[in-house]
Amino acid sequence: MKDLFLDIKLPGFAARDTFRCATCADEALPGKVLRIMSEEAFAEVEMGADTALVDVSLVENVAPGEILLIHAGVALGRASKA
């Protein structure tokens, strides 16, 4: 099976870190915040060639341009720079 994590290349970030969901052990994927929605619990996030609406309520003070780790439509935390 193709590893989707490796298809997303973000300059300045590690090519492969292990970020796993505590519930199902799936990997979280990185996504770049494009804009915060008006209610601030959601953000439009770029993930590769696609965009998604992501719940950011678990991560404090999210700002456009940040790279978040996303699993099942929920931001779990920030990606660390390489």
Side-chain angles (χ1 to χ4, degrees):
M1 176 182 264
K2 187 176 180 183
D3 189 342
L4 296 176
F5 190 89
L6 296 176
D7 288 341
I8 300 173
K9 294 172 180 52
L10 300 169
F13 286 83
R16 176 81 173 179
D17 286 327
T18 303
F19 308 104
R20 297 207 176 263
C21 174
T23 304
C24 67
D26 277 350
E27 288 182 332
L29 301 175
K32 181 178 180 179
V33 177
L34 300 176
R35 67 184 175 114
I36 306 299
M37 307 309 281
S38 61
E39 58 272 356
E40 296 187 25
F42 289 91
E44 182 180 6
V45 176
E46 177 182 32
M47 298 179 70
D50 297 320
T51 59
L53 188 62
V54 173
D55 178 346
V56 294
S57 62
L58 298 178
V59 183
E60 292 184 2
N61 304 317
V62 173
E66 288 189 290
I67 306 298
L68 302 178
L69 299 171
I70 301 159
H71 172 66
V74 178
L76 301 177
R78 290 178 173 84
S80 58
K81 290 207 173 196

